[in-house]
Amino acid sequence: MIRRSILKALAFSAISLPMLMTTPAVQAQDAQTVDIGVLLSMTGSLGRGGNNVVLGMQTALEEVNALSPSRQFRLVIEDDESSPQAAMDGIRKLVDVDKVPVVLGTVGSATTIPTASYSLSKNIPHVGLTASSPDVRSLGKGYFSIIATDEVMGAALAKFAMEDTGKKKVGIIVANDAYGVGLARRMQEAVAANGGEVVSEVRYEAGQPDYRAELQRLFSPKPEIVLAVSWGDNARLLTKQAYEMGLMQTVQGAWYQPYPAEIVNACIAEACEDVKGLDIAADRGERFQQLKTSLETRVGSDVVIDWFIGVGYDAVWVTALAVDLANSAEPAAISAALPKAFEIYRGVSDADMSVDADGIQHNQEYGSFVIKAGKLEPYTAN
């Protein structure tokens, strides 16, 4: 019971972490080892995000294992290669071969839904990481989500942009996929609810070599605000061409993105200057500062804690806490304890991580950020 009380106390506060992290855990010979299955994109188009998730997970793992030698956790990681087929191969290996009692993953909704369905069909609880499609609600008992769904982000981003600028004419540009279209719908609803008007909505096909025509349609009605959903090379090309066409300059300081940490490394600095957005690593409390200190030691002082790192860190902590609360590594016991673990844990990605009846985090708070000189900085409205 001693270890359980320590974990519970640590779930509320990170005050004791520096002391724990400087004292190496001595693993007893009879220590219980609990495997945590992890399914992530380590390679392929989503590889950057997946590797950042693992960075957060490994940091949390060190902290959890430092608490006591009586129960040690181990990550069993499968690379889904940013591919639906590889994702299914990976989940089958984790569940059927490795026999993990719980799975954390993946990066996207398109792979999370089928892989979680497989886990749940085998009675293995599944913790979704960055899947935000409302369709995850259909997965049912045993599925839990670290982050809220698109309804929350779409509404929050539109409201943030309108309050930040005081303007009402909005242009929306999104990828023509389930994620982009779903976010666009929520943003439209939020714009209307806040007294604004969507003057243009444009959908683009990812991976195209040119977006000038789409940008012309977006800017033709002269929006005062742009809400854009883009990633990686698509974000780089969209912002670059908008800048070259003189269009970005007409909304400088009024171009908003969900999860701007996803585009900052892809952008040309001048094209993305003053781009703003909301991201999930919102809590700047003691746990956030401890994570930042740990990561600076590991990867350098210029580390930016994006939503991938924060979500990975919190996912391991919540899972370890559930095992501790259940005092068991049986899948059914972990699943039953996860709602309580979410309730009492105070995270980096959110202070209140309570889940609703569907297992979905529903109290998401976001941090606001701005890109300045090619770097992402916290943003406070004037």
Side-chain angles (χ1 to χ4, degrees), residues 169-192:
K169 294 175 63 178
V170 178
I172 295 174
I173 183 166
V174 300
N176 188 26
D177 57 23
Y179 176 72
V181 173
L183 260 180
R185 186 180 307 116
R186 304 306 173 190
M187 292 190 292
Q188 290 169 357
E189 294 169 354
V191 169

Side-chain angles (χ1 to χ4, degrees), residues 296-324:
E296 285 175 348
T297 300
R298 178 178 286 196
V299 300
S301 60
D302 60 346
V303 64
V304 174
I305 299 178
D306 63 13
W307 69 313
F308 291 113
I309 294 173
V311 163
Y313 179 86
D314 287 340
V316 168
W317 259 109
V318 166
T319 303
L321 182 55
V323 173
D324 191 73

Side-chain angles (χ1 to χ4, degrees), residues 17-18 22 31 35 39 71 73 76 84 156 264 293 302 330 344 367 379:
L17 277 178
T22 57
D35 287 339
L39 182 63
R71 179 180 287 137
F73 293 88
V76 181
V264 66
T293 299
D302 60 346
E330 291 300 315
I344 67 176
Y379 173 74

Side-chain angles (χ1 to χ4, degrees), residues 203-221:
R203 300 178 185 179
Y204 66 88
E205 299 298 330
Q208 297 300 306
D210 186 272
Y211 292 116
R212 290 183 179 87
E214 289 86 347
L215 289 165
Q216 289 283 14
R217 294 202 304 275
L218 174 69
F219 280 93
S220 180

Side-chain angles (χ1 to χ4, degrees), residues 3 7 60-68 71 73 316-317 320:
R3 183 176 184 277
L7 262 180
L61 193 74
E62 290 178 2
E63 295 174 358
V64 169
N65 284 341
L67 286 169
S68 171
R71 179 180 287 137
F73 293 88
V316 168
W317 259 109

